[in-house]
Amino acid sequence: MTKRKYINNASRRSFLKNIGVFPFLKYTPLLSGTILGSALSSSASADCNQQQSLVCVFLLGGADSYNFVVPGGSAYNEYATTRGNMAVSRENLLSSNDAVQGAFGFNKRLPGLHDLYQNERLAVVSNVGNLIRPTTKSDFNASKSLPQSLFAHDAQQKLWQTGSGNLADSFGWGGSIAQRITECNSSSTIATSISTAGSNKWLNNLQQNYISLNPNADIVQMRGLSPSSSTKNTLEALLNESKAEQGSFFKQQVAHAITRADNTANGLSDAIRDNPVADFSPTGRLEQQLHLVARMISAREQLNMGKQIFFVGLGGWDTHSNQNERLVPLMTELNSALTSFQASIDRMGKADNVTTFTASDFGRTLTSNGDGTDHGWGGHSLVMGGAVKGGQIYGGFPSFAASNNPDDAGDDDNFAGRIIPTTAVAQLGATLADWMGITRAEQEVMLPNLANFNQKNLGFMK
Amino acid sequence: MRILQLSFLVLFLTACGGGSHDSSTVTDNTSNSSDSSDTNNSNDQNSDNSQDSTDTHTNTANENNSNDDYAASITVTPKIAAKLLTQATFGPSETAIDHLVSQNNLSAWVDQQISLPVSLSQPYVEANSNGSLKSTRHHIWWKNILEGNDQLRQRVAFALSQIFVISDRDYELSNSQYAVTNYYDMLAKNAFGNYRELLEKVTLHPTMGIYLGMVRNQKANPGLRIRPDENYAREVLQLFSIGLYELNNRGEALPAGNPIPTYTQKTIEDFAKVFTGWNFADSAGIWVSNGLTTYDKRIPMVADDDTPTGESFHDTSAKTLLNGFQLASSANSATATEDDLKAALDNIFNHPNVGPFFGKLLIQQLTTSNPSPEYIERVAITFNDNGQGIRGDLGAVIKAILLDKEAINGKAENPNFGKVKEPLLQLSQLWRAFDVQPGAGVTDGVYRLYDKADEGLDEVFGQAILKAPSIFNFYSPDNLLSSNSGLFAPEMQIMTEANIASIHNALRTQIYAFNNQNNDGWDIASRINIDKPIQLASNSSALVNYLDKLLLAGELSNAKKTIITNHLNTINDNTERAQEAIFLIIASAQFMVQE
């Protein structure tokens, strides 16, 4: 563990001590109660009167987002030369424009997202990635302040989600936002943070467990703990016994997890049943998850939830082989899921308070390995919703030059095309955190590198 | 404060694992097959009796392991027996516990297990699947892990399958069921062999070639602006062998907070060059995308210089590998592709990280999520030298893991000892404890959890053999027990709220509805035998003690015994008492943890 980590933890702890009562302890107990005394949370600036949901769509494996959105004009020729057989041809692009970048194209497999962009409901954040501070090629060559374990999946995924450059940091900025707005949900029994894609770091925070739901299965009550069950009281007594068992952290945590599972099932089953969101019939894996998210957004009032943070994920983006074939169904699903979800939110009349964005481990090499691409660094994120200042690209395109590329972390001899990000995850996170009503001081705690960037808010939210 | 424990977490993403040489001499029936794709039939034998080289391993392990002395001094109580059987098998039965107690020799039990022939999956799958039908490999896997005598071998194969990950969720493997099954059998055969041989078999297995893209990987072509695929190069280092950071034998990445990377991007690029020029064994000269073409994916990949351009696709340039090792240009060699690969795998194998890195992964799979540095060191030392000067002897490593004083004494040695039981093992333990039998209505002998036997099971458990979501397995070795915990709990990653609820309901149905006393309902559902619990049920306390020994390795506290006993005493019917007692234990936190 680094010194930096100590500082972060210390500052987080002192921060936590200074704030109010944490309302979720009643059902998300933490490890052995040792830190419960210092409970927590909530930002003075969060406006609980405004309902809000933030949805992170994580493209697991490192999506080749340089083929989602492709530069036009003379930059296209550089792009095409560098990408070789990975380039999207001009006829497969849907034309768009940005006031600064000029003409560019969306991949024709993303027609719905193109429409949203044209209607100014979707923005592109260009070449964003894990950075500790603004980084040039000479910084990279000198190994100056680089995120740890660049180009490794799990490491970069974790850093994207924690907004840190250090793998020792384990708290995600989604969870940190949730922790500071959770007072808006004080009368709800459901956790502010919900994952439909299993475990992740983005929702990890100090005080409150997020819950993981399974989009493929009904949310059903645990029958051995149901009120009519003969075993309910005895099983609860056994769980309480385990929770109190000093020296057995595993039993304690598993017992808490069982209780959390029971509370979640009990708290959600009615609301989910009552909010079918039947106008959205999901087919793919991502659509199933976003459909469940839509149901929970539809149920916000019933669940007494003012604020919600969601993590959904779609795997399969690690396209080292057969990329041109494999990206077709992936992009098709991404396009369909995001547009169906947005349409459903629009019909609920909640577009202005639901914001969805994409993220990924890293972008991929601009160059080809024959039939695929390898691990890169920067990539594009898409942000959509009624509160987004869409129809614009935020942050410029990087250079796509095949040689002497100032943004390339590799060398020409290896035709690398691992593009150094020109915008940091911390800036993207801060912009969304601003929208959620998190103060700058709090942002700098949850996004430890934010202070190193002059522009904190990228301006893509209204 | 618990959170301070974070500060001493060693921050290396241990992943990886182990393997061993193909010591088992089991004949690979399919390797001579020249039939295309997955349509070959091999013999029906489900168990191979040849075992010469496993015997050799037993001997080396015996002579080396100082743990033997310790293990030999242990009087085997039912509690100690049940603990070892929980760590080393798919769940203890009463018979197995009693047998181990009377054998009174943990070391002899491990040796015996290592010597047993492997229960194979492939013959069954080839007889019952057309190569695309996915259910059969799950059917035979469950049959083998429930019925097979080679429990330790299957348990280690299961562990290896979660380290050297392939998955038929990948679309190119989903229609290659013979090949995926062949891969699992390969792991089982090599479970107690040498890591170096296992690493080569993993590297050259066509399913891995597809999964991580090494098959038909070509050297750079400046004209086309293409360069070698880096996928296998990166993951073999990060996940299968050495990990991201330099480690000492204690598994510590030092200096803490600023660990030293084991390799650079340039190293990856040079390893990527090594792994060029390989093709499916029966498709020489065909270098198109492997997408939907059908080749026999059970035969190891081969170096193939028969390329469309007439020039080898292997990169023969000089390469710098781990620890600065210089691999000279192989341009003048006729066997450059093979030679470079062997030299590179030797380079990986001899990296000092493999013992602690891979050893810790195996420890986490079998005994404890947070081994002490001393435990890791003892296992790493055995990896480095089995006592006879042999590095990478996996039989010796497994024995060192299971017979270590930390594994045997648990919390008395290390207060953080223990792990969360992975979901599939919760079901297998319940089934094996109560001698599960396939439903009376089935003719195929398949074990089913109500109607689910294969694809459906992972919806309930979040886990199924060789069906992980990615190369990073179902869970990460450094998944935290909870957000604010300093302890790792890899399996907790799939014990989500959703999975906990579905497992709870599934096991409840198994216990109450699908037991041998209840003949109603689905006759395809497997039935557990609850005769013995019913027989004991007139004495609640005797019943609870029996279940404690069988299901909880005798770890149930007196307070919990009292809670359960009091509950049972309110029930008059013995069958009902038995069911209720089993369920209360299975649904408790205690059952989901092994300590």
Side-chain angles (χ1 to χ4, degrees):
Chain A
M1 186 117 308
T2 64
K3 277 185 179 162
R4 228 173 55 66
K5 173 62 182 177
Y6 265 115
I7 291 163
N8 284 343
N9 272 342
S11 60
R12 286 178 197 213
R13 280 196 306 278
S14 62
F15 168 75
L16 299 176
K17 277 183 183 163
N18 294 331
I19 31 200
V21 174
F22 183 67
F24 279 103
L25 299 180
K26 61 181 184 280
Y27 94 102
T28 52
L30 299 164
L31 198 62
S32 68
T34 45
I35 62 169
L36 297 188
S38 63
L40 139 303
S41 154
S42 95
S43 153
S45 56
D47 176 4
C48 291
N49 293 323
Q50 188 195 0
Q51 292 191 331
Q52 286 177 308
S53 302
L54 180 63
V55 185
C56 173
V57 178
F58 210 92
L59 309 180
L60 298 149
D64 195 354
S65 48
Y66 293 128
N67 276 3
F68 293 178
V69 169
V70 173
S74 60
Y76 178 83
N77 296 331
E78 288 188 325
Y79 160 91
T81 303
T82 304
R83 300 228 76 179
N85 62 355
M86 293 296 111
V88 182
S89 61
R90 280 185 191 277
E91 63 268 25
N92 286 330
L93 294 173
L94 305 168
S95 62
S96 267
N97 198 70
D98 170 73
V100 178
Q101 301 298 318
F104 72 98
F106 270 82
N107 194 303
K108 77 166 183 186
R109 305 286 176 184
L110 303 172
L113 301 183
H114 175 252
D115 286 349
L116 284 165
Y117 181 91
Q118 299 301 102
N119 293 325
E120 301 187 355
R121 297 162 65 75
L122 180 141
V124 177
V125 181
S126 173
N127 194 32
V128 60
N130 293 322
L131 288 176
I132 290 175
R133 59 181 64 252
T135 301
T136 64
K137 183 162 184 159
S138 63
D139 293 335
F140 175 79
N141 289 335
S143 295
K144 186 179 168 192
S145 300
L146 299 178
Q148 287 183 318
S149 295
L150 281 170
F151 317 124
H153 282 293
D154 53 344
Q156 295 311 302
Q157 216 173 72
K158 183 172 179 180
L159 296 183
W160 221 108
Q161 295 180 11
T162 59
S164 170
N166 191 319
L167 292 167
D169 284 327
S170 63
F171 302 120
W173 50 273
S176 294
I177 292 174
Q179 184 174 301
R180 288 160 177 78
I181 55 177
T182 199
E183 67 168 13
C184 300
N185 295 352
S186 56
S187 55
S188 177
T189 59
I190 304 301
T192 305
S193 308
I194 299 117
S195 170
T196 61
S199 176
N200 65 84
K201 291 288 183 293
W202 191 63
L203 293 178
N204 245 13
N205 73 42
L206 188 58
Q207 288 293 330
Q208 179 186 12
N209 283 295
Y210 60 90
I211 53 173
S212 285
L213 304 178
N214 184 350
N216 303 316
D218 292 336
I219 292 169
V220 291
Q221 293 185 310
M222 293 171 71
R223 293 203 295 276
L225 284 163
S226 74
S228 61
S229 164
S230 60
T231 49
K232 176 183 169 64
N233 293 337
T234 305
L235 197 45
E236 283 178 349
L238 289 172
L239 292 174
N240 287 336
E241 196 68 34
S242 284
K243 289 172 194 173
E245 216 164 314
Q246 293 303 317
S248 182
F249 306 116
F250 287 95
K251 270 182 274 186
Q252 286 179 354
Q253 282 305 304
V254 169
H256 285 307
I258 293 169
T259 301
R260 205 161 55 235
D262 184 41
N263 288 341
T264 300
N266 292 336
L268 276 181
S269 53
D270 287 355
I272 292 297
R273 184 199 59 219
D274 297 345
N275 292 272
V277 188
D279 61 7
F280 175 6
S281 54
T283 53
R285 294 166 294 170
L286 184 59
E287 285 194 357
Q288 283 179 328
Q289 294 178 57
L290 285 172
H291 182 242
L292 181 56
V293 170
R295 293 172 80 171
M296 291 204 56
I297 291 172
S298 171
R300 270 193 315 215
E301 289 78 10
Q302 187 169 347
L303 293 168
N304 290 315
M305 299 182 80
K307 310 278 181 185
Q308 298 172 318
I309 310 279
F310 294 99
F311 181 88
V312 307
L314 178 64
W317 295 91
D318 194 19
T319 49
H320 291 274
S321 309
N322 301 334
Q323 169 164 312
N324 290 334
E325 291 167 45
R326 292 167 70 176
L327 280 184
V328 172
L330 287 167
M331 284 194 285
T332 301
E333 175 160 16
L334 179 66
N335 178 75
S336 161
L338 291 182
T339 50
S340 301
F341 174 70
Q342 188 62 49
S344 182
I345 298 299
D346 290 351
R347 285 189 291 268
M348 288 177 208
K350 294 184 172 178
D352 289 348
N353 53 46
V354 177
T355 299
T356 306
F357 69 100
T358 66
S360 193
D361 314 14
F362 36 62
R364 304 191 71 83
T365 56
L366 290 180
T367 59
S368 166
N369 64 30
D371 65 347
T373 55
D374 293 311
H375 302 179
W377 192 353
H380 303 316
S381 280
L382 308 174
V383 190
M384 72 174 187
V388 174
K389 283 191 224 166
Q392 295 182 55
I393 296 176
Y394 293 83
F397 280 134
S399 169
F400 291 91
S403 56
N404 298 316
N405 184 327
D407 294 324
D408 190 349
D411 55 76
D412 289 348
D413 288 349
N414 288 306
F415 352 111
R418 281 184 294 275
I419 298 300
I420 302 168
T422 40
T423 294
V425 171
Q427 295 169 286
L428 175 76
T431 312
L432 294 167
D434 270 348
W435 180 67
M436 294 296 288
I438 308 300
T439 64
R440 183 58 38 79
E442 289 168 339
Q443 290 171 21
E444 292 190 352
V445 175
M446 67 175 74
L447 295 162
N449 301 321
L450 184 62
N452 300 333
F453 296 87
N454 291 331
Q455 184 185 8
K456 319 288 187 198
N457 187 317
L458 297 172
F460 58 76
M461 298 301 294
K462 288 174 184 166
Chain B
M1 260 178 130
R2 302 272 331 141
I3 193 158
L4 289 179
Q5 289 202 7
L6 276 171
S7 63
F8 62 72
L9 286 188
V10 181
L11 234 235
F12 52 96
L13 305 170
T14 39
C16 165
S20 87
H21 61 227
D22 199 59
S23 44
S24 134
T25 53
V26 170
T27 310
D28 193 334
N29 289 315
T30 60
S31 33
N32 296 323
S33 160
S34 56
D35 287 6
S36 79
S37 192
D38 287 342
T39 53
N40 191 29
N41 233 340
S42 67
N43 69 39
D44 288 324
Q45 90 186 69
N46 194 33
S47 176
D48 195 304
N49 293 319
S50 52
Q51 58 187 68
D52 11 323
S53 58
T54 48
D55 286 344
T56 312
H57 280 281
T58 304
N59 293 338
T60 59
N62 274 342
E63 286 166 33
N64 164 44
N65 206 321
S66 61
N67 281 339
D68 273 13
D69 298 334
Y70 177 72
S73 72
I74 300 271
T75 300
V76 180
T77 61
K79 192 167 181 164
I80 287 174
K83 271 187 170 180
L84 177 63
L85 292 167
T86 304
Q87 293 165 344
T89 75
F90 284 89
S93 65
E94 187 181 21
T95 314
I97 294 170
D98 293 347
H99 174 263
L100 187 45
V101 168
S102 67
Q103 187 177 15
N104 196 28
N105 187 330
L106 299 179
S107 180
W109 182 86
V110 174
D111 290 340
Q112 194 175 37
Q113 281 288 313
I114 286 177
S115 74
L116 289 174
V118 55
S119 299
L120 296 173
S121 290
Q122 192 163 336
Y124 178 90
V125 172
E126 292 186 355
N128 291 285
S129 168
N130 59 4
S132 299
L133 184 63
K134 292 186 194 172
S135 53
T136 54
R137 73 177 180 82
H138 297 274
H139 294 168
I140 187 63
W141 185 79
W142 278 101
K143 189 177 178 68
N144 284 342
I145 64 112
L146 290 170
E147 297 176 358
N149 290 325
D150 58 336
Q151 283 288 307
L152 178 59
R153 185 184 290 278
Q154 293 296 329
R155 186 79 164 75
V156 173
F158 182 44
L160 295 174
S161 78
Q162 299 194 76
I163 297 170
F164 299 108
V165 174
I166 63 164
S167 170
D168 70 357
R169 280 186 203 270
D170 183 287
Y171 82 116
E172 286 178 17
L173 292 181
S174 62
N175 289 319
S176 304
Q177 293 298 306
Y178 295 175
V180 172
T181 306
N182 179 274
Y183 184 82
Y184 180 82
D185 282 354
M186 182 274 289
L187 295 178
K189 289 176 199 168
N190 289 276
F192 307 125
N194 191 283
Y195 174 87
R196 171 65 181 77
E197 279 184 50
L198 176 57
L199 185 64
E200 185 161 330
K201 286 177 187 295
V202 164
T203 301
L204 292 181
H205 201 279
T207 55
M208 186 59 80
I210 293 168
Y211 196 58
L212 293 185
M214 180 175 143
V215 69
R216 295 172 179 161
N217 187 20
Q218 302 178 23
K219 68 179 177 183
N221 183 332
L224 298 174
R225 291 196 57 80
I226 64 171
R227 48 171 180 74
D229 186 322
E230 296 169 4
N231 200 7
Y232 190 70
R234 184 181 299 280
E235 307 307 0
V236 71
L237 296 179
Q238 185 185 337
L239 301 176
F240 298 172
S241 60
I242 64 170
L244 293 172
Y245 300 110
E246 301 279 354
L247 306 175
N248 60 19
N249 271 346
R250 293 157 56 87
E252 295 159 330
L254 300 174
N258 191 22
I260 303 161
T262 42
Y263 52 82
T264 66
Q265 172 62 26
K266 181 71 168 61
T267 321
I268 299 293
E269 290 168 16
D270 278 2
F271 270 96
K273 293 174 187 171
V274 168
F275 298 122
T276 50
W278 294 86
N279 205 340
F280 294 120
D282 58 352
S283 62
I286 302 175
W287 286 86
V288 296
S289 160
N290 49 290
L292 298 171
T293 49
T294 54
Y295 301 108
D296 193 329
K297 296 164 188 157
R298 295 163 299 189
I299 315 173
M301 294 188 290
V302 295
D304 176 18
D305 289 343
D306 181 11
T307 69
T309 64
E311 183 192 4
S312 170
F313 280 160
H314 179 66
D315 185 322
T316 57
S317 63
K319 305 160 185 91
T320 303
L321 305 182
L322 298 171
N323 290 330
F325 175 75
Q326 297 293 317
L327 186 57
S329 165
S330 51
N332 296 321
S333 168
T335 54
T337 311
E338 295 95 332
D339 295 346
D340 281 358
L341 182 105
K342 287 183 188 301
L345 295 183
D346 285 344
N347 176 245
I348 296 170
F349 174 52
N350 288 308
H351 193 288
N353 266 35
V354 183
F357 183 79
F358 179 67
K360 184 181 175 189
L361 289 178
L362 279 179
I363 292 170
Q364 287 185 306
Q365 282 283 334
L366 298 174
T367 60
T368 182
S369 298
N370 299 278
S372 70
E374 293 76 19
Y375 185 11
I376 296 172
E377 183 174 36
R378 290 188 290 269
V379 170
I381 286 172
T382 305
F383 182 94
N384 297 343
D385 182 348
N386 68 353
Q388 297 194 321
I390 295 173
R391 178 179 175 80
D393 178 350
L394 289 182
V397 168
I398 295 297
K399 198 168 176 188
I401 290 171
L402 295 174
L403 300 185
D404 192 273
K405 60 183 177 182
E406 191 161 323
I408 293 171
N409 296 329
K411 285 184 182 298
E413 292 284 339
N414 177 351
N416 293 328
F417 186 85
K419 72 195 293 272
V420 174
K421 221 176 266 172
E422 50 196 312
L424 283 189
L425 294 181
Q426 295 176 31
L427 176 61
S428 74
Q429 190 181 348
L430 172 66
W431 274 359
R432 281 175 55 83
F434 299 106
D435 189 28
V436 69
Q437 297 296 322
V442 306
T443 54
D444 56 8
V446 170
Y447 292 92
R448 288 181 175 80
L449 179 71
Y450 39 95
D451 62 338
K452 293 180 196 300
D454 38 75
E455 294 301 287
L457 276 180
D458 73 317
E459 289 170 14
V460 176
F461 291 89
Q463 196 181 22
I465 185 73
L466 292 180
K467 210 181 166 188
S470 80
I471 187 66
F472 290 91
N473 195 30
F474 304 99
Y475 46 76
S476 161
D478 69 344
N479 182 65
L480 295 176
L481 177 58
S482 65
S483 299
N484 58 335
S485 166
L487 295 176
F488 295 129
E491 297 81 3
M492 204 62 196
Q493 189 168 335
I494 49 173
M495 290 291 284
T496 60
E497 287 76 10
N499 286 344
I500 286 172
S502 63
I503 293 168
H504 172 98
N505 287 334
L507 297 187
R508 186 177 182 279
T509 304
Q510 177 71 57
I511 292 163
Y512 286 97
F514 300 131
N515 62 61
N516 64 328
Q517 299 293 315
N518 181 350
N519 292 317
D520 301 337
W522 296 76
D523 66 355
I524 61 166
S526 300
R527 303 270 163 170
I528 56 171
N529 184 323
I530 58 169
D531 289 351
K532 181 77 183 275
I534 292 172
Q535 186 192 321
L536 294 169
S538 58
N539 180 337
S540 297
S541 182
L543 173 60
V544 171
N545 285 333
Y546 169 78
L547 295 175
D548 177 31
K549 168 185 161 185
L550 183 60
L551 297 171
L552 303 175
E555 291 283 343
L556 196 62
S557 67
N558 287 332
K560 287 181 189 164
K561 280 184 184 174
T562 304
I563 291 170
I564 299 174
T565 308
N566 288 345
H567 176 89
L568 297 181
N569 286 339
T570 65
I571 301 168
N572 292 324
D573 180 75
N574 281 345
T575 302
E576 203 180 315
R577 266 194 193 186
Q579 292 172 166
E580 206 94 335
I582 296 169
F583 174 70
L584 283 169
I585 286 176
I586 294 286
S588 73
Q590 183 127 19
F591 178 72
M592 299 177 199
V593 164
Q594 65 182 62
E595 288 181 333

